[in-house]
Amino acid sequence: MTIRVLLAEDMNMVRGALLALLALEPDIDVVAEVASGDDILPAALAQLPDVAVLDIDLPGINGLTAAGLLREQLPSCRCLMLTSLGRPGNLRRAMAAHVAGFILKDAPPEILADAIRGVAAGRRVVDPQLALAAWDSAECPLTTREAEVLRLTEKGAEPTEIATRLFLSPGTVRNYLTTAVTKLNARNRIDAIRIARDAGWL
């Protein structure tokens, strides 16, 4: 049986290399390729892939958000996340989003094909070193709202803008930022964003 695959990767050279590698596999057929997170769900609904291979960091919505949408609207499609950054926090977020697999982009080529086959067969496939790191790593101390406020701050949004987008008061947004800085033992907001980003919590 041929496994139908959707591939989402924003870097053209990387996407081209992955397509070339998967073209060598007789049982894998890439039926859609996209460069933006916003294009994942429409392409998946049009092509009905068995497996979606998604980069975590994409323009538009990120890979994990897209995986959640696929789970809701196309549950027959299982998601395999790719990342160049082996942050334990990313794996925790991926597992929370109920993705079926998580591997690093620098894994040997045969690992990707085997991971796609495993995910298509209903198994969970996780890079073993990353799984060990996630097991040993600390839980994210931030609430969902604190992480969301930090994420928007990282993109350059001011507290008043964040307040409008999240239907909060500017004072509440500032309180969330102060709490996040304190929880992360950071010097300031920029340092808090760096700490949270390095840990894979954003």
Side-chain angles (χ1 to χ4, degrees):
M1 186 184 75
T2 301
I3 302 168
R4 295 169 59 81
V5 171
L6 178 150
L7 177 62
E9 164 60 57
D10 63 315
M11 296 181 68
N12 292 333
M13 192 174 292
V14 175
R15 191 171 68 255
L18 293 173
L19 285 168
L21 287 169
L22 294 176
L24 300 173
E25 304 295 332
D27 58 338
I28 295 174
D29 181 19
V30 178
V31 296
E33 54 168 301
V34 300
S36 166
D38 296 337
D39 297 330
I40 291 172
L41 185 60
L45 292 174
Q47 297 296 331
L48 304 178
D50 304 304
V51 176
V53 179
L54 311 177
D55 186 10
I56 282 189
D57 297 308
L58 291 167
I61 63 173
N62 65 41
L64 288 175
T65 301
L69 293 173
L70 285 174
R71 186 165 180 263
E72 291 171 5
Q73 299 191 40
L74 191 65
S76 60
C77 178
R78 307 192 80 222
C79 293
L80 172 64
M81 308 306 300
L82 290 179
T83 183
S84 56
L85 301 170
R87 294 171 178 155
N90 279 342
L91 177 57
R92 287 184 182 277
R93 287 167 54 215
M95 300 304 265
H98 302 284
V99 304
F102 192 99
I103 62 174
L104 299 173
K105 285 184 186 177
D106 61 1
E110 63 272 12
I111 295 293
L112 175 59
D114 287 345
I116 289 171
R117 293 184 185 103
V119 166
R123 297 192 297 273
R124 268 210 162 158
V125 180
V126 178
D127 178 272
Q129 291 304 115
L130 194 54
L132 283 174
W135 186 273
D136 293 335
S137 70
E139 291 279 357
C140 176
L142 303 173
T143 65
T144 301
R145 187 63 94 186
E146 288 162 359
E148 191 172 16
V149 167
L150 267 189
R151 201 174 293 117
L152 290 171
T153 302
E154 182 184 27
K155 292 179 179 177
E158 293 294 328
T160 50
E161 182 185 348
I162 295 171
T164 301
R165 289 180 65 173
L166 301 182
F167 304 101
L168 301 169
S169 72
T172 300
V173 170
R174 290 188 187 93
N175 286 341
Y176 279 130
L177 286 169
T178 301
T179 305
V181 168
T182 302
K183 283 183 176 180
L184 298 176
N185 294 316
R187 295 186 299 276
N188 50 41
R189 296 173 188 176
I190 307 258
D191 193 35
I193 290 167
R194 178 192 61 77
I195 292 167
R197 175 64 64 190
D198 287 348
W201 295 331
L202 292 184

